[in-house]
Amino acid sequence: MSRRARLGRRAGREASRLVGPALFTPSLHLAADHVQVGGVYAATLLVRGYPREVATGWLEPLLAYPGRLDVAWHLQPTPAAVGAARLRRQRGRLESGRRLAAAAGRLDDPDVDAAAADAADLAGRLARGEARLFTTGLYLTVHADSPDELAEDVERVTALAHSLLLTVHPARYRMLAGWATTLPLAEDLLGATRTMDTGAVAAGFPFTSADVALPDPLRPGAAPVVYGPNLSSTGIVAHDRWAEANYNSVTLATSGAGKSYLTKIDVLRSLAQGVEAHVIDPEDEYGPLAAAVGGTQLSLGAPGVRLNPLDLPAHGRTDPELLTRRMLFAHTFIATLAGSPAEDPVGRAALDRALLAAYAHAGITGDPATWDRPAPLLADIAAALQAEPAGQQLAGLLAPFVTGSHRGLFDGPTTSTPNGHLVVYSLRALPEELRAAGTLLVLDAIWRQVADPTRRRRRLVVVDEAWLLMAHPAGARFLVRLAKAARKWWAGLALVTQDSGDLLGTDEGRAILANAATKLLLRQDGSAAAAVQAACGLSDGETAALLAARPGDALLVAAGRRALFRAQASPREHELITTDPVDIAHRPAHPATTTTDVAGNAVARPLLPADDADPL
């Protein structure tokens, strides 16, 4: 019995083992050029020849075939020693063939010359550790409802493969083995293999896009986030903000366009990459997500929850300018809180004297030895302002937040600083008058953790509904400083806003956009479309697509590349991130997902069992 016959019989036995009793039932019929399974006809083609060079996504035309076509690509790493020995023998055969042809006076064979050059180049890269070898087998199984339709589809697939410079042959008399080979069983029963290097294998990655390339999977620290399917091709859009010039992003969209939905997808999938996320949540939309992943939720405005804006960060005690920096932030915070910033020199001087007096009364001076003492409170600042004529007007503006109805957030020392891989600061319980100041206060608390040199890691800071803070000049300037300094601390600032015109109509907003390497644009309002187009360098076609976009459709602009995609979540992710009232009404009731500690922090508990804690 010949070797080919033995291999054929072995493949038949393996296929019978895989398909099991179905082989002996009337639902499976075999023929020389097809196999019939459950009334559906299938024929398998094996790829024998490949082009000399391939581009990224070279398998995409096969995946985009409109009919039912199963593409199976079997990969098996080849040990370096074995690959080097095979390559050495191959080079020897090629070189000896070339020398024999030259000695006989025959013309050079271009195919042999090209193969010899490729083998020499591959041997060099293999020796330098720049590539690895893989044994690969590529198989195509065509399905149809009748033999005639199957024959037509096989011809079309064969023509498509030939257009890609692939040489294909039907697996005649081995159709059962071919059909089983293309099942998701990781069994190659045909053995029609060849050797490829790392570059060719990487270029065959099926989920790619011509618009936005995937990061190099061999690059240390690569963390691409999959956003959804590409609307211009059959690939997907995956983006790695940590591979850009800076890690900031800006998401612009009208209300109801899906900007928060996309942001939650980004946060959830970034957590799976080991990124620590801090979210400023104005509408309490991130609670279910935080509960599912075991995050922490802090509800500002809830009883017993306090944040003191005058606290000195513990990690900065070695900075001789720490007290000065804290006083500068206090200027910004009080200006935002009062709603009437002390821009005149007299008012600013009065506030500065009040800050110095309050810190001195608490025993805190320029001496670092005093910085461990309890910080003064906002009431101490108001009392110091009231003591001098130039500060009495500002003291009156601070009265509602010190002794009035809005004092709950500031009338005591900080309760605690929440920590964890996901921290959500909910602002829903805050009155409207405190939203901007609360956002600024939370950003400062987050920045104290981000700027801690003893705990460096990738952090994503999400400011949802950023227009609340951008409406105040002092808050807008604070965001600009964060956007410029975030990269130094391995952090990314993600701003999400529905007021594109307000953002792009200010110098601060344009500065933030200029410092954001990643831009995510969803449906735009016609009144702001021209400003968005000019700021992001969009074409007329891209602008028209954004004006007509459905909820969830988005345009990614990053490093000169762009791609239209649809934000898509899995059913479990959708359950956690949706804000659609219909979906929320039908959401199954869960046990209590949060508990409150003694400091007033709402600590989220996982919704999932311990053995299924990852929603991904």
Side-chain angles (χ1 to χ4, degrees):
M1 183 181 296
S2 66
R3 180 175 181 273
R4 175 168 297 191
R6 289 196 303 273
L7 291 176
R9 292 187 62 178
R10 177 181 167 223
R13 290 194 300 270
E14 290 293 322
S16 301
R17 177 182 63 82
L18 291 175
V19 300
L23 179 64
F24 306 103
T25 65
S27 63
L28 193 149
H29 300 277
L30 300 180
D33 58 352
H34 69 269
V35 59
Q36 182 183 0
V37 183
V40 178
Y41 294 82
T44 299
L45 304 174
L46 52 90
V47 179
R48 284 291 190 184
Y50 296 81
R52 181 170 180 262
E53 294 182 355
V54 294
T56 301
W58 61 278
L59 285 179
E60 185 174 349
L62 293 174
L63 300 175
Y65 181 73
R68 183 181 172 188
L69 175 65
D70 292 341
V71 180
W73 196 13
H74 293 264
L75 301 174
Q76 181 67 36
T78 302
V82 175
R86 291 178 181 174
L87 193 58
R88 190 162 47 248
R89 290 195 298 270
Q90 179 70 5
R91 292 185 62 193
R93 286 194 294 268
L94 293 172
E95 291 296 335
S96 63
R98 294 175 61 186
R99 292 176 182 177
L100 288 174
R106 296 194 299 268
L107 294 176
D108 294 339
D109 187 342
D111 293 335
V112 174
D113 291 342
D118 291 342
D121 177 67
L122 180 57
R125 289 190 288 117
L126 191 64
R128 293 189 297 269
E130 297 175 357
R132 293 185 59 186
L133 298 181
F134 295 83
T135 300
T136 67
L138 183 59
Y139 310 99
L140 315 173
T141 295
V142 186
H143 300 265
D145 294 329
S146 68
D148 293 338
E149 292 181 7
L150 181 64
E152 294 177 359
D153 285 345
V154 167
E155 289 184 6
R156 283 194 286 266
V157 172
T158 301
L160 175 61
H162 288 170
S163 69
L164 300 175
L165 302 182
L166 297 173
T167 304
V168 297
H169 298 289
R172 192 174 297 274
Y173 295 105
R174 293 185 292 168
M175 287 297 172
L176 178 60
W179 173 71
T181 297
T182 55
L183 293 177
L185 302 174
E187 292 280 353
D188 185 358
L189 305 180
L190 295 179
T193 61
R194 67 156 295 165
T195 300
M196 291 187 183
D197 66 339
T198 308
V201 170
F205 182 70
F207 303 112
T208 187
S209 169
D211 303 306
V212 178
L214 287 170
D216 184 358
L218 300 180
R219 181 178 59 84
V225 170
V226 176
Y227 289 144
N230 194 313
L231 296 179
S232 303
S233 67
T234 59
I236 63 174
V237 173
H239 180 60
D240 182 9
R241 70 167 65 234
W242 310 101
E244 300 297 330
N246 61 66
Y247 317 134
N248 302 331
S249 67
V250 172
T251 303
L252 303 178
T254 59
S255 178
K259 59 185 182 302
S260 295
Y261 192 92
L262 174 58
T263 303
K264 293 171 193 173
I265 291 177
D266 196 354
V267 169
L268 187 56
R269 295 174 181 174
S270 294
L271 292 174
Q273 303 289 351
V275 177
E276 181 181 296
H278 299 260
V279 181
I280 300 178
D281 180 13
E283 298 299 333
D284 201 17
E285 297 180 357
Y286 290 77
L289 188 152
V293 301
T296 302
Q297 185 174 6
L298 180 68
S299 296
L300 273 72
V305 177
R306 296 184 296 273
L307 291 176
N308 184 10
L310 304 178
D311 283 340
L312 298 177
H315 65 79
R317 301 299 166 85
T318 58
D319 182 5
E321 301 296 326
L322 176 63
L323 183 59
T324 301
R325 297 179 190 277
R326 183 62 3 198
M327 292 176 61
L328 290 175
F329 171 75
H331 275 274
T332 302
F333 175 75
I334 292 175
T336 304
L337 182 65
S340 178
E343 296 292 348
D344 61 291
V346 176
R348 290 187 61 85
L351 178 57
D352 199 65
R353 289 192 298 270
L355 287 170
L356 287 171
Y359 276 109
H361 186 266
I364 299 175
T365 64
D367 183 5
T370 65
W371 292 349
D372 289 327
R373 296 171 181 173
L377 303 178
L378 191 62
D380 300 325
I381 305 298
L385 286 170
Q386 191 68 38
E388 56 176 284
Q392 291 180 358
Q393 180 181 2
L394 184 56
L397 295 175
L398 292 179
F401 313 105
V402 175
T403 58
S405 58
H406 299 331
R407 69 181 185 276
L409 188 60
F410 314 108
D411 64 350
T414 299
T415 52
S416 69
T417 301
N419 294 302
H421 61 288
L422 172 62
V423 180
V424 176
Y425 297 85
S426 176
L427 307 182
R428 188 173 185 178
L430 283 179
E432 194 67 30
E433 294 79 4
L434 284 178
R435 288 292 183 94
T439 302
L440 183 61
L441 190 58
V442 168
L443 274 174
D444 177 67
I446 293 173
W447 194 251
R448 298 184 194 186
Q449 300 186 47
V450 170
D452 186 353
T454 64
R455 297 181 62 248
R456 285 186 179 270
R457 59 178 301 178
R458 289 179 298 172
R459 290 184 174 93
L460 181 62
V461 181
V462 179
V463 184
D464 208 342
E465 303 297 350
W467 61 270
L468 292 170
L469 193 56
M470 291 297 298
H472 296 262
R477 289 193 294 269
F478 187 80
L479 280 179
V480 171
R481 291 197 297 270
L482 294 190
K484 292 182 177 180
R487 188 183 187 281
K488 180 175 65 174
W489 298 103
W490 208 9
L493 183 64
L495 262 64
V496 185
T497 182
Q498 64 183 14
D499 288 342
S500 305
D502 291 346
L503 178 71
L504 302 177
T506 62
D507 293 338
E508 292 82 1
R510 289 188 291 269
I512 292 174
L513 192 67
N515 282 277
T518 301
K519 302 171 183 65
L520 295 164
L521 310 176
L522 292 92
R523 187 177 65 230
Q524 299 296 314
D525 184 76
S527 60
V532 173
Q533 180 179 7
C536 300
L538 306 182
S539 65
D540 292 339
E542 291 168 340
T543 304
L546 293 179
L547 289 172
R550 300 173 299 169
D553 291 353
L555 174 66
L556 171 65
V557 179
R561 301 165 298 173
R562 54 200 65 204
L564 282 167
F565 67 93
R566 180 168 184 79
Q568 184 168 313
S570 68
R572 176 57 174 148
E573 289 175 321
H574 177 79
E575 179 185 345
L576 298 176
I577 66 182
T578 182
T579 56
D580 189 330
V582 178
D583 294 334
I584 295 176
H586 292 86
R587 179 180 292 166
H590 292 288
T593 58
T594 61
T595 58
T596 304
D597 61 17
V598 294
N601 296 325
V603 181
R605 304 301 180 190
L607 290 174
L608 306 178
D611 58 350
D612 192 20
D614 187 356
L616 299 181

